[in-house]
Amino acid sequence: VPAVTIAVDAMGGDHAPDEIVVGAAEAARASGVEVVLVGATDRLQTALTDAGLALGGTLSLVEAPEYVQMDEAPLAALRRKPKASIKVACELLKAGRVQAVVSAGHTGASLVAARTVLGLLPGVERAALAVTVPTATGSAVLIDAGANVDCRPEHLVQFGLMGAAYARVALGRDEPSVGLLSIGEEAGKGPDVVRDAHARLAQTRLRFIGNIEARDIFTGLADVIVCDGFAGNVVLKVGEGVAVLFEALLRQELMASPTSRLGAWLSRPAFQQFRRRVDDAERGAAPLVGVAGLVLVGHGRSSSRAVRNAVATAVQLVEAELVERTKRALSA
Amino acid sequence: VPAVTIAVDAMGGDHAPDEIVVGAAEAARASGVEVVLVGATDRLQTALTDAGLALGGTLSLVEAPEYVQMDEAPLAALRRKPKASIKVACELLKAGRVQAVVSAGHTGASLVAARTVLGLLPGVERAALAVTVPTATGSAVLIDAGANVDCRPEHLVQFGLMGAAYARVALGRDEPSVGLLSIGEEAGKGPDVVRDAHARLAQTRLRFIGNIEARDIFTGLADVIVCDGFAGNVVLKVGEGVAVLFEALLRQELMASPTSRLGAWLSRPAFQQFRRRVDDAERGAAPLVGVAGLVLVGHGRSSSRAVRNAVATAVQLVEAELVERTKRALSA
């Protein structure tokens, strides 16, 4: 079996390049994976040396002297910086030297670089970020999770088609159910854009189950939840915020008496297992579906573990031929 | 001190009228509160008898033979049903027979009835639902929590002014900080409506701290979080959904071994205390600010405890003169 090669944007993310380099090097030790680190090679070499790591074998470098910072406007930044790491990584994919790109940097910059260098699949107007979220019964796909803030109804329909293609691969469902995020279950509930999208989704060949409320994202009512990128980002960030708040409040309460402190100590393995189930670092990154090439975006706060998992997810999606499947789902 | 009188829409909510009647009767036993139950009086009389409760003293009935059901379009329903319980309750407030209205029914119907019967405060274009949410440092006000799905920038500015007035009363802050919900901290991030609102909020006399991300709602970064009703509803429902999911997953993990089962048993009081802190039934209801009269909306799933707390919250807001204060905040 020929190894899959993944380009990792080593300059993107709050802990870049050190955590990225360590995670990528760990991933490169897995069988069947080659990793190309893209960034300022002298800086990456220092990061590798500091971590006691070496190049060679399945880990290599490609020079990209510039990168897009988190507070830059992506379009202008990429025009100003033709050698930005995310752009160079996408060019490696375009040239066939790698099969996927992973970045924990600026989501908007990844989107613009992917769209400009690789283009979109036939008929796609907007690429979207498709993430998996934990539910009471397993996982669900949320699309768009933050790539497009202002959406038209036809974009939401495409998100439904692309999200279903991703759910077949990521959740292993043959006929994934698709729900539309709104503020009430009835077809007439929600903003104009959502009401229009509802009527259009009902005309597709998708297993469309109608509107679902945000509460039911986590009950596992739908395999795919369609929304614009603003709402999708709010869903993810509220989930994150509530998780952090709950742990903090629960810890305060558990520490308040000797009995509950003992209880908390005895329950530690359960808490650890619980944290693993809800931790988004487990998958590491989410694909920008609709792009004519596989580009994955990780959390800006990605740790080395998240990067390692992101590379593993990228390999799975290459092997599952996600891009080809998405293309077929859109043309059907 | 003359008693405050609160009208309770006894027909609205998933558990109406039985839970509503019990909660209202409990509230009427508190000193300084009179409660008027509004609904189909024969049905209410039966509910009272079934619960072993009696009328008289501080608990009375007012007849309203109709009510708006959850799946009805509010405008049309209220036109068809001039004797709907929420409308009759608002008329009691308009006539000065009560000082506030509490309903656990259809939020949209409460909004339309309040607007039509009581009118809006001078200069207000849209009334909004202002709810308090738990944070790591106490509470924050989220406005709009679901009354208006499609908003213009000027509506968001009014939500900021009205939310700050409510935060002064509900949180006891003299100079509440106001944040605008978006998908990035920078002023340029977010949909067009949010970017425009950002510029306008910066021109007001509010202590505007700029955009905040959904994650930071729960860290207590801002005292008031401004958003449209679609996003606000998503924030609340995701919070609810994640809370339920966490409890379920944590319970599964805690039951998985004898040691952690013992741990969970020892920690029970801590879990109960934790639940109380994050439970939205604690406050019971949230005001529709911007209305020329005090109307509070509770959760559709309100229990008798939530109704009792909603009446207590209504009394507090009457005594704090929330409507007068909101009016002053808007004219300043």
Side-chain angles (χ1 to χ4, degrees), chain B residues 2 9 94 105 113 130 143 171 196 204 211 243 279 298 314 316 319:
Chain B
D9 172 5
K94 177 81 179 174
I143 180 170
L171 314 180
D196 190 347
T204 64
N211 287 351
D279 186 356
Q316 281 166 20
E319 287 171 348

Side-chain angles (χ1 to χ4, degrees), chain A residues 180-201:
Chain A
L180 179 63
L181 184 66
S182 195
I183 66 166
E185 285 163 29
E186 303 81 15
K189 291 276 178 81
D192 295 341
V193 170
V194 172
R195 293 158 54 143
D196 190 348
H198 187 111
R200 290 166 189 247
L201 279 163

Side-chain angles (χ1 to χ4, degrees), chain A residues 103-118:
Chain A
S103 175
H106 197 305
T107 303
S110 301
L111 179 66
V112 172
R115 204 174 54 202
T116 350
V117 175
L118 302 160

Side-chain angles (χ1 to χ4, degrees), chain A residues 89-104:
Chain A
C90 287
E91 284 162 354
L92 293 175
L93 176 53
K94 177 82 180 175
R97 278 195 52 197
V98 303
Q99 282 81 57
V101 169
V102 168
S103 175

Side-chain angles (χ1 to χ4, degrees), chain A residues 70-71 106 134-136 146 149-150 181-183 186 189-192 194 213-215 217-218 229-231 233-235 237-243 245-246 249-250 252-254 259-260 262-264 266-267 270-271 273-274 277-278 299 301, chain B residues 70-71 106 134-136 146 149-150 181-183 186 189-192 194 213-215 217-218 229-231 233-235 237-243 245-246 249-250 252-254 259-260 262-264 266-267 270-271 273-274 277-278 299 301:
Chain A
M70 293 307 271
D71 57 353
H106 197 305
T135 71
V149 289
D150 285 298
L181 184 66
S182 195
I183 66 166
E186 303 81 15
K189 291 276 178 81
D192 295 341
V194 172
E213 293 198 72
R215 184 199 298 131
I217 295 172
F218 306 95
F230 188 80
N233 182 280
V234 168
V235 169
K237 297 281 172 72
V238 169
E240 225 178 293
V242 170
L245 174 67
F246 271 36
L249 293 183
L250 197 51
Q252 281 175 22
E253 297 303 340
L254 287 170
T259 323
S260 61
L262 173 62
L266 292 171
S267 323
F271 275 96
Q273 188 57 33
F274 162 71
R277 278 178 71 173
V278 299
H299 199 294
R301 296 183 187 169
Chain B
M70 293 306 271
D71 57 353
H106 197 305
T135 70
V149 289
D150 285 299
L181 184 67
S182 196
I183 67 166
E186 303 82 13
K189 291 276 178 80
D192 295 340
V194 172
E213 294 198 72
R215 183 200 298 130
I217 295 172
F218 306 96
F230 188 79
N233 182 279
V234 168
V235 168
K237 297 281 172 72
V238 169
E240 225 178 291
V242 169
L245 174 67
F246 271 36
L249 294 181
L250 197 52
Q252 281 174 23
E253 296 301 341
L254 287 170
T259 322
S260 61
L262 173 62
L266 292 171
S267 324
F271 275 96
Q273 188 57 32
F274 162 71
R277 278 178 69 172
V278 298
H299 199 294
R301 295 184 187 167

